[in-house]
Amino acid sequence: MKINNKKLIFLASFEDASILRKFTILFLITSIIPMVLLYYFYTQTASNKHLGIPTINFTYAMILMVLGVFIGFISIRSLLVKVIDISKQNSKALENLLSPETVKELNQGENEIVVLSRSFSAVTQRLEENVRSLQLAQKTLHAVMSKVGHGISNMENIDTFLELILETLTSALNGKVATIMLLNDKKTELIINNVYGANYDRKKKIHLKLTDIPAISKILSEKDPVTVSSVFLQNSQNPALSELFGETMLCAPLVFGDSASGIMSICKETGPSSDFSEEDLGLVFNLASQTAVAIDNSKLNRDIEKTYFETISALALAVDAKDQYSRGHLDRVADHALMIGRRLGLDDDDLDTLRDAARLHDLGKIGIPDEILKKDSGLSDEEWVIMRRHPEIGESIIKPVRSLQHLCDCIRHHHEKLDGSGYPDRLKGDEISPLVRILSVADVYDALTTERPYRPRKSKADAITILRSMKNHLDQDIVNIFLEGLEEKENLT
Ligand SMILES: [Fe+2]
Ligand SMILES: [Fe+2]
């Protein structure tokens, strides 16, 4: 029993021994066998003088055999040492490439050669995974860049572009909802500006106080993308937020220059594949940085366009002020047009268009010579030809500014008439848009009730009669709404 135990202990320790020790033991055992056989053969034949081998020859044979075995042992051993060194270096490299735990797992109870082959297999597997992941990331990036490029060339405004970015991001990462939140001017709140994947009324923007969302505030100050739990929902009273954010959300700061102007976030459906990878974090961070640049450029453009609008408004007022008879015409037309628009129930965008178009509708008079503009007597046919160019001149000043292009229709067509006798395009009936019809009524009424060098101002009653008689020129439904408004206003005062 004791012997068996000893045998087992010996076998176990032999099994655990390094490959170098195993080789030494096995080599010695296998080398001794031919020597023992040679000695046996020598002793068996030594007594026979015919078959006997001379002692000197046997000694030489033994020396040669020992020498051969020794050289063989040294050569194979040095080869093995090299293989073991490679294996050790490989282990160190693997610890960097894989994890130390994985390498430890590979080493368990195995010799260096087995570890080496397993290591190569693990490395190959990891490389294959990396290649697959890179190919996927490349495809995703390609899709994102192509959509973003297409969006930039076709975008109508920054919000269309931002929504396109969110749509692309959501499809690239298999997300559910993506949002862009922008810091307010005081940098105390995040305002949810754009949402893709959930219902969100942009007109009723949700404001989130930074003090209520410390995890998000931290991203803004540290400017690093992270995956956070949407715990801030628990602090919020707004039920709409739970639709916009999942359990976990990947947030990346919109960094431009030294500061962050907001957050881009994406959430996945709740479930086993709701986690985000390092590649996802990198993709969202890069996209957020590009988006921050686009937002900043858009703000810059908005400022420039605002300055341009203010400049040309000042020019239009200057032209208005030049004519002592029509001074204040632009503001009065704007007031009349807005009154009609409100009574018709137009939305805020249309009312803004009406107001701005009214203030700029005669801007083109800047291109009309003063002698025509200030002429005391009636204009000649040639002078009327020149005067009738002012709608087109006005349009040509406005047209290059993208944000003012929506005013072009009103400015170009405010002298068109329903029967097609107006200018410059002789539009008829429905070809004249509702906003232009409103502006025309307001413009004609103010012209009638203003003194001209060639005629006195009309009384209100006469002006109303004339407006009602212009059935072929003005939309009578709008005339009626305007007159109702005028009456109401008069009763109030
Ligand atoms: Fe005009
Ligand atoms: Fe006018």
Side-chain angles (χ1 to χ4, degrees):
M1 237 356 223
K2 275 183 183 175
I3 291 166
N4 283 344
N5 278 344
K6 275 184 183 173
K7 270 183 188 173
L8 283 173
I9 290 165
F10 171 76
L11 284 174
S13 63
F14 181 77
E15 193 65 31
D16 293 340
S18 73
I19 192 162
L20 208 60
R21 183 164 292 186
K22 279 180 189 169
F23 164 75
T24 308
I25 294 167
L26 290 173
F27 194 91
L28 285 175
I29 291 170
T30 49
S31 307
I32 286 168
I33 292 169
M35 286 188 220
V36 171
L37 281 173
L38 187 65
Y39 181 74
Y40 173 75
F41 181 68
Y42 168 73
T43 50
Q44 288 300 310
T45 56
S47 54
N48 191 324
K49 62 179 181 183
H50 298 292
L51 292 173
I53 299 166
T55 307
I56 189 71
N57 288 353
F58 171 75
T59 308
Y60 286 149
M62 283 299 277
I63 289 169
L64 278 173
M65 191 174 281
V66 169
L67 209 62
V69 165
F70 183 72
I71 291 168
F73 175 76
I74 294 296
S75 309
I76 297 171
R77 193 181 183 281
S78 67
L79 201 68
L80 262 180
V81 167
K82 278 183 187 170
V83 171
I84 290 163
D85 278 350
I86 292 171
S87 172
K88 281 178 182 167
Q89 285 170 11
N90 181 54
S91 284
K92 279 182 188 167
L94 278 175
E95 279 183 10
N96 294 328
L97 196 65
L98 307 170
S99 63
E101 290 74 28
T102 314
V103 176
K104 207 175 168 185
E105 227 171 78
L106 288 170
N107 283 336
Q108 266 182 3
E110 297 293 352
N111 64 50
E112 291 84 344
I113 303 294
V114 176
V115 171
L116 194 63
S117 72
R118 282 189 182 174
S119 303
F120 278 125
S121 160
V123 170
T124 312
Q125 204 178 340
R126 174 59 66 93
L127 283 174
E128 278 174 2
E129 279 171 18
N130 285 351
V131 167
R132 270 198 297 274
S133 163
L134 279 171
Q135 281 172 340
L136 191 68
Q138 191 189 18
K139 272 185 189 171
T140 307
L141 204 61
H142 192 264
V144 168
M145 296 323 287
S146 124
K147 277 201 173 186
V148 168
H150 183 71
I152 287 171
S153 58
N154 290 288
M155 73 173 170
E156 289 166 15
N157 56 45
I158 186 68
D159 286 316
T160 314
F161 176 66
L162 296 181
E163 272 148 32
L164 177 82
I165 294 261
L166 293 181
E167 182 188 346
T168 312
L169 180 67
T170 310
S171 72
L173 299 190
N174 290 324
K176 183 187 172 198
V177 183
T179 58
I180 285 177
M181 298 175 265
L182 299 177
L183 273 175
N184 64 348
D185 292 339
K186 290 181 181 172
K187 298 189 184 303
T188 52
E189 291 179 339
L190 271 175
I191 301 162
I192 301 176
N193 197 64
N194 308 88
V195 174
Y196 179 79
N199 289 327
Y200 181 64
D201 187 352
R202 289 198 62 235
K203 286 181 181 167
K204 299 174 191 165
K205 284 180 181 170
I206 297 177
H207 293 235
L208 302 167
K209 282 185 183 169
L210 287 184
T211 47
D212 292 343
I213 45 173
I216 309 282
S217 297
K218 201 176 165 197
I219 298 169
L220 287 168
S221 55
E222 294 184 359
K223 304 186 196 86
D224 281 328
V226 286
T227 305
V228 294
S229 163
S230 57
V231 283
F232 63 87
L233 293 177
Q234 294 158 10
N235 302 329
S236 170
Q237 300 298 312
N238 196 330
L241 283 177
S242 56
E243 279 186 36
L244 302 185
F245 302 108
E247 264 176 37
T248 52
M249 53 194 281
L250 196 170
C251 293
L254 298 168
V255 182
F256 181 71
D258 294 334
S259 59
S261 58
I263 296 277
M264 178 184 274
S265 79
I266 178 163
C267 304
K268 288 187 177 179
E269 291 276 7
T270 311
S273 59
S274 65
D275 292 338
F276 292 97
S277 66
E278 281 293 317
E279 286 80 15
D280 293 344
L281 245 73
L283 180 73
V284 179
F285 184 64
N286 285 334
L287 206 55
S289 302
Q290 296 300 317
T291 306
V293 175
I295 291 172
D296 200 74
N297 282 343
S298 146
K299 275 184 190 162
L300 207 62
N301 279 342
R302 255 202 320 265
D303 289 348
I304 292 168
E305 287 174 350
K306 196 178 163 209
T307 308
Y308 187 81
F309 178 74
E310 283 164 0
T311 308
I312 56 175
S313 295
L315 277 175
L317 278 173
V319 175
D320 190 38
K322 267 204 297 189
D323 185 349
Q324 58 170 318
Y325 294 100
S326 67
R327 205 165 287 159
H329 171 66
L330 302 178
D331 284 339
R332 288 193 299 273
V333 172
D335 287 346
H336 296 328
L338 283 177
M339 182 184 74
I340 301 168
R342 287 195 189 104
R343 292 184 80 83
L344 282 169
L346 298 187
D347 64 24
D348 288 347
D349 287 344
D350 280 342
L351 290 175
D352 287 348
T353 303
L354 260 185
R355 185 198 57 224
D356 294 344
R359 285 182 179 161
L360 296 177
H361 75 278
D362 280 334
L363 173 68
K365 284 186 180 172
I366 202 166
I368 308 299
D370 275 5
E371 56 270 26
I372 297 177
L373 218 53
K374 294 180 177 177
K375 196 171 177 185
D376 286 346
S377 54
L379 300 180
S380 67
D381 288 349
E382 291 79 25
E383 286 166 340
W384 267 119
V385 169
I386 296 169
M387 186 59 141
R388 282 174 180 157
R389 283 188 199 145
H390 80 270
E392 290 169 273
I393 298 171
E395 188 206 20
S396 67
I397 296 171
I398 294 294
K399 210 171 186 176
V401 189
R402 198 182 52 225
S403 65
L404 301 181
Q405 280 170 0
H406 63 292
L407 306 178
C408 285
D409 178 39
C410 284
I411 291 172
R412 184 180 175 89
H413 297 129
H414 71 275
H415 284 296
E416 298 288 355
K417 294 171 180 170
L418 289 177
D419 61 359
S421 63
Y423 60 91
D425 297 323
R426 304 181 75 83
L427 298 182
K428 266 185 182 176
D430 289 345
E431 289 172 345
I432 304 171
S433 67
L435 292 188
V436 172
R437 292 172 192 217
I438 295 171
L439 188 58
S440 297
V441 171
D443 191 27
V444 169
Y445 178 78
D446 189 68
L448 287 171
T449 51
T450 309
E451 189 181 342
R452 295 284 143 158
Y454 46 89
R455 62 151 175 82
R457 65 184 284 270
K458 304 280 182 196
S459 67
K460 188 184 163 192
D462 287 348
I464 291 171
T465 308
I466 295 171
L467 281 185
R468 285 196 164 133
S469 71
M470 294 173 78
K471 290 188 170 57
N472 295 332
H473 293 176
L474 300 174
D475 185 327
Q476 290 303 305
D477 290 338
I478 290 174
V479 169
N480 289 334
I481 287 167
F482 173 57
L483 297 180
E484 281 169 21
L486 268 187
E487 205 173 324
E488 202 171 280
K489 203 173 167 185
E490 205 162 81
N491 290 337
L492 285 171
T493 50

